[in-house]
Amino acid sequence: MQALWHLICDQGRKATECNPVLRQYLETRVHAHAGFEQALAANLAQELSAQASNVDLNAWFLSLIKANPAIATGAAADIQHLVAVNPACPDELTAFLSFRGIQAVQAYRLAHTLWQEGDIQSAVLLQNWAANHWSIDIHPAARLGIRLFVDHGIGLVIGETAVVEDDVSLWHGVTLGSTLNESGDRHPKIRRGALLCAGSTVLGNIEVGERAIVAANAVVLKPVLAGVVVAGTPAKVVSNVPAVLETLKPQSQGQ
């Protein structure tokens, strides 16, 4: 994580040299902070300040991040993964400062920590502040992995008992919801490396298997096997995942 922070700072200095108009912005968002954790807390606080007037979000968020190192570790993994897989993201600085998918997922990580600690009201408040600001609504009880690619993110909804494993890609307008015919564990389980394309909907306590692809606007009502492509309403298998994509194996948990 320290190497990532040094890289972000270096990219910030180069951005300032390229466009001096951004000097004060980059000073406030990057160079004024002692490390990645401090900058992460401050940037999330700045983004959500209009939603929570008179609340010292910076100190609150930093205390959560320091007490729960997995928050910053997850943020760093998401940033590095985004730069690796998204040609629209030029560098780590841009991912950190500009991509709503990165920012909203880190706000979720804070809310999830609060939920696990039993501070349900604060967790739901933070969930709603984030949803109002980024148009991405992730329930704080949902379980999300790392190296997530939340592309654009606008309209993404993830329900309370959903599970999203490592290396999953979620595009804008994706819904991981319930059928309203279930109680308790009622939301989808998205396994490692799966890709859910724009506008797709997965309903109920069903599984989308590893490296499966759900096509744009598909409605998934039944489990999806690993390594297949499903499309349509209701979704049906249309092919296996292309071989070129099968060669892009998810990273191991230890990397």
Side-chain angles (χ1 to χ4, degrees):
M1 190 185 310
Q2 194 67 15
L4 173 63
W5 176 240
H6 289 318
L7 182 60
I8 289 173
C9 290
D10 184 59
Q11 291 168 350
R13 285 188 288 270
K14 291 178 180 177
T16 300
E17 293 171 2
C18 180
N19 185 1
V21 170
L22 295 176
R23 183 179 303 278
Q24 187 58 49
Y25 171 78
L26 291 168
E27 176 65 27
T28 301
R29 292 298 185 104
V30 177
H31 299 123
H33 304 292
F36 181 75
E37 295 90 344
Q38 290 81 359
L40 178 62
N43 276 277
L44 291 175
Q46 179 64 35
E47 289 291 329
L48 295 175
S49 60
Q51 300 292 328
S53 57
N54 301 320
V55 176
D56 187 357
L57 295 178
N58 192 356
W60 183 26
F61 291 172
L62 184 57
S63 67
L64 288 171
I65 291 169
K66 285 187 172 181
N68 300 273
I71 296 173
T73 300
D78 291 345
I79 289 169
Q80 292 168 320
H81 183 65
L82 176 65
V83 176
V85 302
N86 186 3
C89 183
D91 57 22
E92 290 77 5
L93 174 71
T94 306
F96 179 61
L97 294 178
S98 304
F99 276 71
R100 72 173 59 220
I102 292 289
Q103 295 169 339
V105 168
Q106 310 328 312
Y108 148 80
R109 296 191 198 283
L110 294 170
H112 183 65
T113 297
L114 292 167
W115 184 276
Q116 290 183 309
E117 292 176 350
D119 190 353
I120 305 304
Q121 292 85 355
S122 296
V124 174
L125 272 175
L126 183 50
Q127 172 197 357
N128 282 275
W129 293 341
N132 289 338
H133 183 66
W134 288 297
S135 299
I136 297 173
D137 194 354
I138 307 173
H139 195 284
R143 290 180 286 156
L144 274 59
I146 61 172
R147 297 186 300 274
L148 301 179
F149 177 25
V150 177
D151 191 21
H152 302 294
I154 298 172
L156 173 65
V157 177
I158 299 178
E160 178 181 6
T161 59
V163 174
V164 178
E165 294 185 345
D166 299 347
D167 303 292
V168 167
S169 297
L170 301 167
W171 294 3
H172 53 285
V174 167
T175 297
L176 305 181
S178 70
T179 63
L180 301 181
N181 294 320
E182 301 168 295
S183 60
D185 192 354
R186 60 196 184 279
H187 293 99
K189 311 299 179 275
I190 313 301
R191 301 307 181 192
R192 294 190 70 194
L195 164 60
L196 278 62
C197 296
S200 59
T201 299
V202 186
L203 298 178
N205 183 12
I206 59 176
E207 182 173 302
V208 175
E210 288 192 10
R211 305 207 57 79
I213 296 177
V214 178
N217 296 318
V219 178
V220 180
L221 302 175
K222 296 181 179 180
V224 177
L225 295 176
V228 302
V229 180
V230 297
T233 304
K236 298 179 180 179
V237 176
V238 296
S239 69
N240 291 323
V241 172
V244 67
L245 296 180
E246 281 289 356
T247 62
L248 302 176
K249 299 297 183 184
Q251 301 176 49
S252 69
Q253 183 68 32
Q255 290 181 311

